[in-house]
Amino acid sequence: MIERKPIQIQKPCILIVEGKHDKAFFEAFCDHFQKDLQVIALQGKDNLKNRLESIKNESNFRSTVKAIGIVMDADEDPKSTFRSIQDSLRRIELACPSKPFEFIEGKPRIGIAILPDENTPGELEDLCLKVIQEESTFCCVERYFRCLMDNGAQLKKISKAKIYAYLSSKERPELRLGEAAKAGYLRFDHPALCRLKDFICCLTT
């Protein structure tokens, strides 16, 4: 069981993400674009309602928090993931967007982003894979995975596996995705991340 410290609201714009590696990624992403916000990790999707409730119950919530962005992996069903987030927001009487990547006015404003997008199953790694696919060394990763499959390997979460195979070629191959983002191993200005950047900009506007 994960022991969670009470949430301390530090900034008017809050970004809620799934886990600690997502937190590291988004901290690096927001720093790159000079967006000042507080990133909070859930340590699992199932904790969303409880974490939102904890944030809402903080004494300085109404006086401090202007906007909340929620970023979740689509996993197998992006529409179901979006509906689940909507349900958590309604149950604690917070404003509820009707569409992904849009903010609804309220106190605070609320937005939901589904990754890689609202129509595609997957996760953050699928979005990041689009960024690294154009790197010159990525063809080596593709050849490696073709060889694995030709020899009968049963691969799951291929996008994640390809990313870590690519990162293993870097100066610090032990880094997880969030740490790799902080180390500058991903191009945050890539077109594949434009929609995510727009979401963060809207959150902090």
Side-chain angles (χ1 to χ4, degrees):
M1 183 176 179
I2 298 172
E3 184 178 350
R4 295 180 182 84
K5 298 179 181 178
I7 294 171
Q8 294 182 335
I9 296 173
Q10 301 166 348
K11 297 179 181 180
C13 298
I14 294 175
L15 184 67
I16 297 174
V17 300
E18 289 190 38
K20 65 180 182 179
H21 299 302
D22 303 282
K23 183 175 185 287
F25 174 90
F26 280 100
E27 284 175 342
F29 189 75
C30 294
D31 284 348
H32 178 80
F33 294 109
Q34 299 180 324
K35 298 301 177 183
D36 186 30
L37 48 76
Q38 180 178 356
V39 184
I40 295 174
L42 295 175
Q43 305 304 336
K45 282 184 178 180
D46 293 341
N47 299 318
L48 177 61
K49 177 183 171 292
N50 290 338
R51 296 298 264 177
L52 282 170
E53 209 159 28
S54 296
I55 293 169
K56 187 181 177 184
N57 290 336
E58 283 296 300
S59 59
N60 63 335
F61 173 76
R62 294 202 176 277
S63 62
T64 303
V65 180
K66 306 301 181 187
I68 296 175
I70 300 168
V71 178
M72 293 281 183
D73 291 338
D75 292 331
E76 291 80 17
D77 189 340
K79 289 180 173 55
S80 175
T81 297
F82 182 69
R83 288 194 298 267
S84 176
I85 298 169
Q86 286 181 309
D87 182 61
S88 293
L89 290 167
R90 291 188 184 110
R91 287 169 67 187
I92 59 171
E93 300 180 338
L94 287 174
C96 183
S98 60
K99 296 179 181 179
F101 292 94
E102 293 183 3
F103 279 80
I104 185 170
E105 291 304 317
K107 295 184 178 181
R109 294 165 51 247
I110 306 281
I112 301 169
I114 304 296
L115 303 181
D117 60 59
E118 66 269 43
N119 298 310
T120 309
E123 54 195 346
L124 173 62
E125 284 82 359
D126 291 283
L127 200 57
C128 292
L129 186 63
K130 294 179 181 179
V131 176
I132 66 172
Q133 280 175 333
E134 295 178 8
E135 299 295 324
S136 59
T137 55
F138 189 74
C139 61
C140 305
V141 174
E142 292 284 49
R143 285 198 295 269
Y144 169 63
F145 277 86
R146 279 198 298 272
C147 179
L148 288 175
M149 289 185 282
D150 288 347
N151 285 277
Q154 300 296 313
L155 302 174
K156 296 181 179 180
K157 291 188 175 289
I158 292 179
S159 294
K160 183 175 286 190
K162 286 183 177 181
I163 283 174
Y164 284 109
Y166 168 78
L167 292 176
S168 71
S169 69
K170 297 298 183 181
E171 185 178 355
R172 297 180 61 193
E174 78 281 4
L175 297 183
R176 305 292 291 176
L177 180 60
E179 298 166 326
K182 288 189 172 185
Y185 293 163
L186 294 173
R187 281 182 50 211
F188 289 141
D189 59 349
H190 190 279
L193 298 177
C194 280
R195 201 176 183 201
L196 191 56
K197 175 189 172 184
D198 291 343
F199 180 81
I200 297 299
C201 289
C202 190
L203 170 62
T204 55
T205 297

